[in-house]
């Protein structure tokens, strides 16, 4: 490993909400510090107001969340530029592509190498000329999936060797198989034998690609075969009124629950409440929720048209379907719930959990990152 004594990490946010980029960034920082504990780390967080309490030792946080939103982007750009000029770090790592034009300026001025992380839709069909140029001069692009890496290579004409794959990871101590929680069964008026289908994701109008519309439509056919099935969506967002209207139109109100926001300490319980976890999306850059569900030993259904292909190891860890084919989604879920799906691993919770750990566990994540350094 090169002798990196000082790192600058540029992160959108860590605490504001727990999305994929925030979770990835937290694991990345933890792994980086484990690999090189004697280095100095300056972490610049654009949207957070205060430092997270779990990462205080040997790390200097610089949070810009107190700056008014209308001024925050130029203020953050000025901060990371001037601090890098002052500190002269050995390596800059941006966990979002949007910050890379500033890193490119610093490389031209001072020769500081920089890496960036490519997650999903923000890395697809990039039109911004400054970001495109910064990517071509980036020393390493860490793509969270082969799917995202391949799209970047093809769409931006990047050299394949510039892109390295560093899959998402998860907390294997937190997400584990367990019986259906009695308190959630009571809260949602469900019986232990009742088949439950679960989706976890923000209900945002900008994220309809996650496939909850298709799942709601598929419920009509699923319920006609499995009459006591129940569908639950965990998450909140501005698209909820439209989803509620769709549920009412299809007369699914008595078998569909929009749970809303769930605190982190309850999320594992919801995975264990379900019998199938399903997100037939068309825009996932990876999808940490797939790993969390697998770690709880649950059969998982994803899309064959985005990075769920990576998360489910091309069908070895779950079912891949055409996200536009409502009938295929419904029939596959019916097969899984009836125990007829032709993949024995789906019905072996502990083996499914171990397969997820072996492929995507934190130790593997850290080892891969160490190799790149």
């Amino acid at each position: 490993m090169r002798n990196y004594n000082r790192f600058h990490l540029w992160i959108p946010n860590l605490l504001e909400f727990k999305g994929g980029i925030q979770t990835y960034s937290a694991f990345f920082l933890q792994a980086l510090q484990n690999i090189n504990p004697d280095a100095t780390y300056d972490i610049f967080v654009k949207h957070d107001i205060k430092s997270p309490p779990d990462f205080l030792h040997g790390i200097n946080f610089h949070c810009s969340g107190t700056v008014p939103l209308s001024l925050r982007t130029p203020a953050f750009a000025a901060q990371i530029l001037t601090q890098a000029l002052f500190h002269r770090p050995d390596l800059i790592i941006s966990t979002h592509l949007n910050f890379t034009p500033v890193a490119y300026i610093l490389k031209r001025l001072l020769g500081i190498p920089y890496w960036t992380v490519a997650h999903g839709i923000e890395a697809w069909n990039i039109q911004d000329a400054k970001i495109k140029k910064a990517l071509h001069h980036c020393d390493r692009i860490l793509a969270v999936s082969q799917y995202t890496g391949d799209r970047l290579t093809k769409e931006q004409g990047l050299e394949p060797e510039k892109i390295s794959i560093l899959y998402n990871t998860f907390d294997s101590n937190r997400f584990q198989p367990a019986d259906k929680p009695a308190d959630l069964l009571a809260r949602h008026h469900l019986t232990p034998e009742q088949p439950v289908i679960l989706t976890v994701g923000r209900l945002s109008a900008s994220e309809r690609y996650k496939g909850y519309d298709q799942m709601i439509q598929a419920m009509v056919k699923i319920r006609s075969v499995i009459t006591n099935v129940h569908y639950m969506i965990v998450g909140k967002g501005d698209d909820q009124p439209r989803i509620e209207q769709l549920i009412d139109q299809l007369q699914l109100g008595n078998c569909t629950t929009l749970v809303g926001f769930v605190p982190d300490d309850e999320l594992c319980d919801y995975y264990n409440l379900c019998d199938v976890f399903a997100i037939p999306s068309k825009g996932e850059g990876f999808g940490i929720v797939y790993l969390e569900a697998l770690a709880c030993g649950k059969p998982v259904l994803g899309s064959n048209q985005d990075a769920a292909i990576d998360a489910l190891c091309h069908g070895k860890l779950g079912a891949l379907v055409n996200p536009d084919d409502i009938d295929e989604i419904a029939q596959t879920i019916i097969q899984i719930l009836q125990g007829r799906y032709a993949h024995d691993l789906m019905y072996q919770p502990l083996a499914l959990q171990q397969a997820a750990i072996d492929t995507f566990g934190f130790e593997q994540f850290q080892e891969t990152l160490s190799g790149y350094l």
Side-chain angles (χ1 to χ4, degrees), residues 11-13 16 45-49 64-66 69 72-73 76:
I11 299 174
N13 46 18
E16 188 178 87
V45 191
K46 182 178 179 181
H47 297 296
D48 285 3
I49 294 174
S64 301
T66 55
L69 191 58
R72 196 172 301 162
T73 294
F76 184 71

Side-chain angles (χ1 to χ4, degrees), residues 195-197 222 226 229-230 274-276 299 331-341 347:
V196 175
I197 306 165
I222 297 169
I226 304 174
V229 69
H230 200 90
C274 82
D275 298 276
V276 178
Q331 293 298 338
T332 303
I333 290 176
I334 290 168
Q335 287 177 14
I336 294 171
L337 289 176
Q338 291 181 337
R340 297 187 294 108
Y341 191 77
Y347 305 108

Side-chain angles (χ1 to χ4, degrees), residues 2 37 39 49 58 86 99 151 201 233 262-263 275 324 326:
R2 279 187 57 182
I49 294 174
F86 178 73
F99 304 150
R151 284 195 64 160
I233 304 178
V262 166
D275 298 276
D324 294 317
I326 305 299

